[in-house]
Amino acid sequence: MPHTPDPIEDGLDSLPPPPPVFHVEQALLGAILLEPHRAAGLTRITIEAFSTAAHAALFAAIRSLPAPEPAEHAKTTTWLNQVLTAAGEQTRGLTTTYLHHLIQCCPEPRHAPAYARIIEAEHARRLLRDAAQRLLHTALDTTLPQRVATTLAEATTLTTVVDDIANRFPPHPGSLPRTPATPAVVHDEEASGDEEVLLASATARPASVERMRWLTPADFTHPLHAMLWRCLSTMARRGASIDPVTVRWEAQHHGLLTHGSEPAGLLGFLGEPAGCDPEYWGERILRRSLLTTAHHTGRHIEALTHDPATTTYQLVVGSRRALAGLNTVRTRWHLATTPPPANARVSNRISAPPRAGPPPTTAPPAARSAR
């Protein structure tokens, strides 16, 4: 006979399997239901650490009830009924059969602390993933009125999550985390145009280059523009004459002009009129670099959390490495956007009298007579 599709059965078959930590939660709850006194030693795990509402409700009910006497608990199901009633007030679908199933899922009740530690580690992974996703989505949200400030606030929150995980899970010797694939660089016409305007205005106003040490070649999206900024910075530091001709000559020495290329055509934008402030365009480029770095940082950490082979120790190490790059750009952004402090007023302090020296051994020379 042909198979008649059953919508309920087919729907259940299409559900994804539960994560591995789900079975660990079953083992932990089974251990406590079988031997309730073991719940007193689980002080670090929280209700939020459980992946399902049913498991969280059961754990909350267990904590809210006093543990029964072991001898009495072995004879009656009174305490189990109380747990089921208390948990049923928080969520639906729990049955006596499921409680007995949880007890059967526990291979060894005395391993309850190990089960709890695994659940804590997976909860830390979820918290880290959520914070990383908030960072990358914020960095891409163009509707935010204070996009940079909000992004940096999310980066601070993510750093706090990483530090909290590091405090709860002491470091141990282990291999470094695998580095996720680097996202491909997408050519941005607007970013490229901003970079050309900056290079042209900086060539016309070279004195501004020294004041813009907060801008680095890594902030540019186009490799040619990054190397040209390196050329301009090098020339400014050594006090060289800067104009479109000298910059092209410097670019040639840096290998930017290939054989047969026409300097005027390749770097023609350097000689275009640029009456704008280079620092304004530099801040635009640095702002874009900051948001792009924040997005890549969030996506990098998110990828680490999705790798089940990554341990908690590796999550902390990998996240801190990713955040270090973002903090570097953040520091440079602070330098670029913070106005210099006002010149401190010079106080009219009376200078201290000179210290007395040893008495002279020879007579002072006679004063010359005025002519």
Side-chain angles (χ1 to χ4, degrees):
M1 293 179 60
H3 172 68
T4 302
D6 186 343
I8 298 179
E9 180 181 352
D10 293 345
L12 292 177
D13 292 340
S14 62
L15 293 176
V21 72
F22 178 84
H23 304 288
V24 183
E25 294 174 6
Q26 288 183 321
L28 175 64
L29 292 173
I32 305 174
L33 292 174
L34 186 60
E35 299 180 3
H37 66 278
R38 298 193 180 276
L42 307 177
T43 57
R44 303 186 62 178
I45 188 171
T46 61
I47 299 173
E48 294 77 14
F50 290 85
S51 62
T52 67
H55 289 176
L58 280 173
F59 189 73
I62 291 171
R63 279 195 164 175
S64 65
L65 297 172
E69 292 295 332
E72 180 183 355
H73 182 62
K75 297 178 181 179
T76 66
T77 61
T78 303
W79 186 78
L80 292 178
N81 295 334
Q82 293 175 352
V83 169
L84 185 61
T85 302
E89 297 176 356
Q90 302 297 326
T91 187
R92 297 179 180 180
L94 290 173
T95 62
T96 305
T97 303
Y98 188 65
L99 264 61
H100 288 286
H101 173 69
L102 292 175
I103 294 175
Q104 294 174 355
C105 289
C106 177
E108 183 55 67
R110 60 190 178 92
H111 292 167
Y115 303 152
R117 197 62 171 164
I118 296 173
I119 297 171
E120 292 174 34
E122 286 304 301
H123 182 227
R125 182 188 299 267
R126 293 195 300 271
L127 290 177
L128 184 60
R129 181 185 301 128
D130 292 343
Q133 289 174 344
R134 287 195 301 270
L135 174 62
L136 67 91
H137 290 314
T138 303
L140 293 177
D141 191 353
T142 58
T143 64
L144 294 173
Q146 299 292 334
R147 186 177 171 191
V148 172
T150 308
T151 300
L152 293 179
E154 292 293 347
T156 301
T157 302
L158 177 56
T159 303
T160 303
V161 172
V162 175
D163 292 341
D164 179 65
I165 296 174
N167 292 332
R168 291 192 292 116
F169 295 88
H172 59 82
S175 59
L176 297 178
R178 291 182 292 274
T179 303
T182 304
V185 179
V186 180
H187 182 66
D188 188 342
E189 291 290 343
E190 181 182 1
S192 181
D194 290 349
E195 293 167 5
E196 289 186 358
V197 175
L198 166 68
L199 293 169
S201 58
T203 302
R205 300 181 179 181
S208 62
V209 177
E210 274 294 283
R211 297 193 301 267
M212 299 170 61
R213 295 197 173 190
W214 36 262
L215 189 66
T216 68
D219 298 320
F220 290 76
T221 61
H222 198 291
L224 175 63
H225 300 161
M227 290 302 298
L228 283 175
W229 181 252
R230 188 184 300 276
C231 293
L232 278 169
S233 301
T234 302
M235 296 174 69
R237 280 196 296 269
R238 69 171 184 252
S241 301
I242 296 179
D243 60 29
V245 175
T246 58
V247 173
R248 290 168 186 162
W249 183 252
E250 185 76 15
Q252 178 177 332
H253 289 166
H254 281 76
L256 302 185
L257 304 180
T258 58
H259 179 69
S261 61
E262 177 59 36
L266 184 61
L267 306 179
F269 60 86
L270 292 177
E272 294 181 359
C276 49
D277 183 10
E279 297 187 37
Y280 165 79
W281 293 99
E283 287 188 15
R284 281 178 60 95
I285 294 172
L286 183 57
R287 178 180 183 271
R288 182 181 291 109
S289 175
L290 174 64
L291 294 173
T292 301
T293 304
H295 174 253
H296 289 170
T297 299
R299 190 156 68 170
H300 179 98
I301 297 176
E302 181 191 29
L304 288 175
T305 63
H306 280 301
D307 185 358
T310 305
T311 65
T312 310
Y313 166 76
Q314 291 174 329
L315 285 176
V316 171
V317 173
S319 299
R320 283 181 167 172
R321 284 186 171 185
L323 287 168
L326 176 58
N327 289 334
T328 300
V329 186
R330 181 178 192 164
T331 300
R332 293 191 285 109
W333 172 257
H334 179 74
L335 292 175
T337 56
T338 302
N343 294 331
R345 295 182 178 180
V346 180
S347 58
N348 298 325
R349 294 182 301 176
I350 302 176
S351 58
R355 296 177 61 184
T361 55
T362 57
R368 294 184 179 180
S369 60
R371 291 184 178 179

